[in-house]
Amino acid sequence: MTKREQLQAAAAKWEQLTIANDQMFSMVMENNDICLELLRRIFPELAIKRVARAAIQKQVNAPLDARTVRFDVYLEDDQQRTYIVEMQVANHDNLPYRLRYYLEQADHNILSPGDSYDKLKHYPTYIVFFCDFDYYRKGRVKYRFEWRCTEDYQLTAGTGQQLVVFNARADDFRDNIKLQGFLKLMRNQVITDDPFVGQIVAEMNRIKQDPGRRRLFMKYEMDLMDARSEGMAHQQVEDIKLTAKLLTNLGIAKDEILRSLSDTYQLSTDEAEHYLKLAE
């Protein structure tokens, strides 16, 4: 793909971004009013008054030898409650394990070396995933989890942690009607009579008209295309070397190997000879 084609592809992708794109979602969530309204709709029982601190694409202070993650949106409210909100479009069949690891990473960000474990009791943590798939396959709009005693479901472990997974593919919203507009918007369906949806759409349009954001996005996409292209080129080199080695080990004549490499990988004679020498 030429640079011109890369630019055109990146520009087209920018214009087509929806709220289901994690980068667009993060940019929209930089708007504190939208963050606050979304949290209120997710957790109406918490009576959240304001977002005290918000961070986008936040990387936590994990141990140096641990796998790091970047949270799409990291929020704290006026009661020191922590919320990690993620947009997840692709189903990699590992959602429960990501949730588990996110909980651990969230505690790394709260508890510093030397702190007492008691500190965590003042920092309830909520991990929220908006998914464009139904991982648990029960057709529910919302799956909410917390630690409970298996012998007495009324007894919670009291860790102050909750996991909430939303399914944008659901049809019956029942008690989650206030989130219907947002979840439909993930599928690019706009409910016009929901003011919150209108606010998000207006914010996305404002972001798309920002030349600075557009330029950063396009640079990121083009860098990604270049990295993929380099990765594919490296893989092809390895494939050619492996083929040359296999043919050599089979005792096939050099001229026949060169012809085969040239035909299979569209190489010149000199290029084929180069790869054959690398494989020796």
Side-chain angles (χ1 to χ4, degrees):
M1 186 181 290
T2 66
K3 284 294 181 184
R4 180 181 178 82
E5 290 171 334
Q6 286 183 338
L7 277 169
Q8 290 173 338
K13 186 172 182 178
W14 172 254
E15 293 302 326
Q16 294 165 7
L17 287 183
T18 69
I19 196 66
N21 175 274
D22 59 347
Q23 292 182 65
M24 176 57 74
F25 175 64
S26 296
M27 288 186 283
V28 169
M29 290 300 114
E30 289 178 9
N31 184 315
N32 271 16
D33 291 337
I34 292 177
C35 277
L36 179 59
E37 181 60 22
L38 183 61
L39 288 181
R40 284 174 170 172
R41 291 187 179 215
I42 298 171
F43 303 106
E45 74 282 2
L46 296 183
I48 303 167
K49 295 179 181 177
R50 63 185 176 88
V51 174
R53 188 175 64 162
I56 307 304
Q57 295 294 320
K58 179 180 176 61
Q59 183 171 320
V60 300
N61 299 316
L64 292 176
D65 58 348
R67 173 171 180 166
T68 59
V69 294
R70 285 186 181 275
F71 301 138
D72 288 347
V73 185
Y74 183 96
L75 304 166
E76 292 178 8
D77 70 8
D78 51 298
Q79 299 297 314
Q80 296 187 133
R81 292 174 293 217
T82 297
Y83 308 87
I84 294 166
V85 189
E86 291 282 309
M87 183 63 66
Q88 186 71 29
V89 175
N91 182 4
H92 299 293
D93 291 321
N94 63 1
L95 181 64
Y97 315 112
R98 287 193 67 185
L99 292 168
R100 169 179 166 176
Y101 196 63
Y102 275 38
L103 280 173
E104 180 192 3
Q105 295 288 296
D107 285 346
H108 276 304
N109 201 61
I110 295 169
L111 208 61
S112 301
D115 284 346
S116 167
Y117 292 120
D118 291 344
K119 180 180 178 180
L120 292 175
K121 109 177 133 178
H122 303 294
Y123 292 85
T125 302
Y126 302 83
I127 311 292
V128 181
F129 268 67
F130 285 101
C131 298
D132 192 24
F133 53 89
D134 186 1
Y135 182 87
Y136 296 102
R137 300 176 184 175
K138 297 293 183 180
R140 301 179 63 86
V141 174
K142 179 174 73 174
Y143 300 92
R144 190 164 179 169
F145 306 98
E146 61 181 347
W147 293 38
R148 289 185 177 272
C149 176
T150 57
E151 282 75 33
D152 180 359
Y153 287 125
Q154 299 302 311
L155 178 63
T156 67
T159 63
Q161 300 167 310
Q162 286 194 22
L163 306 172
V164 184
V165 177
F166 285 99
N167 164 29
R169 298 273 169 171
D171 295 318
D172 187 354
F173 288 84
R174 284 178 271 185
D175 297 332
N176 298 281
I177 195 69
K178 286 192 174 182
L179 278 162
Q180 180 178 8
F182 182 82
L183 293 172
K184 291 289 187 184
L185 190 60
M186 285 177 59
R187 315 221 34 226
N188 214 23
Q189 300 172 15
V190 179
I191 297 180
T192 56
D193 59 352
D194 185 338
F196 184 49
V197 171
Q199 186 180 10
I200 293 173
V201 170
E203 184 69 8
M204 287 195 296
N205 290 335
R206 186 189 68 78
I207 289 168
K208 287 182 179 180
Q209 292 166 12
D210 184 330
R213 289 185 183 272
R214 182 177 184 271
R215 184 168 54 253
L216 287 173
F217 176 84
M218 290 182 65
K219 182 181 184 306
Y220 169 82
E221 284 296 312
M222 292 182 69
D223 288 346
L224 194 59
M225 290 179 202
D226 287 341
R228 286 172 179 163
S229 178
E230 289 172 6
M232 289 172 64
H234 175 74
Q235 184 60 49
Q236 187 178 44
V237 169
E238 295 303 312
D239 289 345
I240 297 171
K241 286 164 60 179
L242 179 59
T243 301
K245 189 173 185 63
L246 288 172
L247 294 175
T248 301
N249 291 341
L250 289 171
I252 297 173
K254 178 181 177 181
D255 288 346
E256 188 62 31
I257 294 175
L258 293 175
R259 190 180 304 113
S260 178
L261 293 177
S262 297
D263 292 344
T264 303
Y265 298 103
Q266 290 78 53
L267 303 175
S268 68
T269 301
D270 288 343
E271 288 172 332
E273 287 184 348
H274 170 72
Y275 286 116
L276 184 55
K277 286 179 181 178
L278 290 177
E280 290 176 350

